[in-house]
Amino acid sequence: MTRVLSCIQPTGAVHLGNLLGALRNWVDGQHDKDVFHGIVDLHALTVTTEPDVVGPATTELAAILFAIGLDPEVATVFVQSHVPEHSQLGWIMECTVSFGELSRMTQFKDKSARREADFVSAGLFTYPALQAADIVLYDANEVPVGDDQRQHIEITRDIAIRFNNRFGDTLVVPEAVTPKAGARVMDLQDPTSKMSKSGETDAGCVFLLDPPEVIDKKFRRAVTDSENEVRYDTVAKPGVSNLLDILSASSGTDRDTLAGQYSQYGPLKADTAAAVIELLQPVQARHQELMADPGELARLLAVGADRARSVASATLERVHRAIGLLPR
Ligand code: AMP
Ligand code: TRP
């Protein structure tokens, strides 16, 4: 069966864009392929400088992944640092990629430029080697990623091919696949920008754990336009179109049908808020249950870590043997 790997960093609160654009596809796809989902806490360390931040964020994200419907019996959900083979293979991947190749990564150039006055860790630079380890450890055939991550999958392929050329056929060369198109959710206050946790204010971003009254308020204050016509047109009417997209993704009704049902913005906003609240209600309830039962959450993550480790340790063993490291 095709093996698929997706990873997400535990940095900041999960929002509606993450859910409708990506996470929902994880849940829908879990029965079609052999899926591994890593919460990549070691990647978050590239920009972490304080204690007790990454752990709680990891717990919260794990609870969300189970709450939205990832089934631990079917999908392998694990925390990267619970599987030490990631760091171990990461080093070997660093020795298989060149300084020049890493220097060409646009994400490194962007991130280091934005952190000009900040600490730029060496990890930020070597990050793609750890990402390559994440992928090849699981013999992943497919890695669903957005455009911003394509270059990292390309470099993973280059690293795997180089390793195989040097040491013999050992690693599966993965392919980047375009995830099934999810909704692209825009910021409620600035509907020409993607909804993001790093947006100007929280007012434009609906977090998965926002209480119903906060969600309602955010939608009622959503920026629209000065016309008075509900119509889907992302260029002329980005705010209204975003509401229609969100309502459609939350309710399952197509956006053109929905557009025909409204003549005013007020009811469209209210119904979109109600649909999102209804969509999130069971997720929030399950999340709360899991957060109240740390033992159960730890058990679920241990199941994932054990399954991940059994694959990862076999790969690392194969790599050591291919290189010809002295066995202990
Ligand atoms: P990020 O936390 O920005 O790295 O995003 C994690 C995942 O959520 C990625 O796969 C993104 O494609 C997806 N995503 C993030 N923001 C949005 C958005 N506003 N609309 C749709 N998908 C999004
Ligand atoms: N670099 C990815 C991001 O910033 C996260 C990530 C780490 C990843 N390891 C991965 C994604 C392996 C896919 C496969 O979003």
Side-chain angles (χ1 to χ4, degrees), residues 8 15 17-18 20-22 146 148 183-186 194-197:
I8 183 165
H15 57 73
N18 298 136
L20 298 180
D148 66 318
R184 193 170 139 87
V185 181
M186 310 307 281
K194 254 179 42 163
M195 182 178 284
S196 137
K197 55 199 163 208

Side-chain angles (χ1 to χ4, degrees), residues 42-76:
L42 298 176
H43 279 272
L45 299 188
T46 54
V47 293
T48 297
T49 53
E50 280 171 46
D52 298 327
V53 176
V54 179
T58 302
T59 303
E60 174 153 323
L61 181 55
I64 285 181
L65 295 183
F66 294 121
I68 62 173
L70 282 176
D71 177 352
E73 297 297 323
V74 177
T76 302

Side-chain angles (χ1 to χ4, degrees), residues 106-124:
T106 53
Q107 190 176 70
F108 171 72
K109 290 192 247 179
D110 291 349
K111 282 197 181 174
S112 54
R114 263 186 279 133
R115 296 176 66 79
E116 207 177 333
D118 262 322
F119 183 79
V120 177
S121 68
L124 203 58

Side-chain angles (χ1 to χ4, degrees), residues 251-267:
S251 66
T253 308
D254 75 85
R255 63 193 185 210
D256 294 320
T257 308
L258 289 169
Q261 291 171 357
Y262 294 91
S263 52
Q264 286 177 311
Y265 295 163

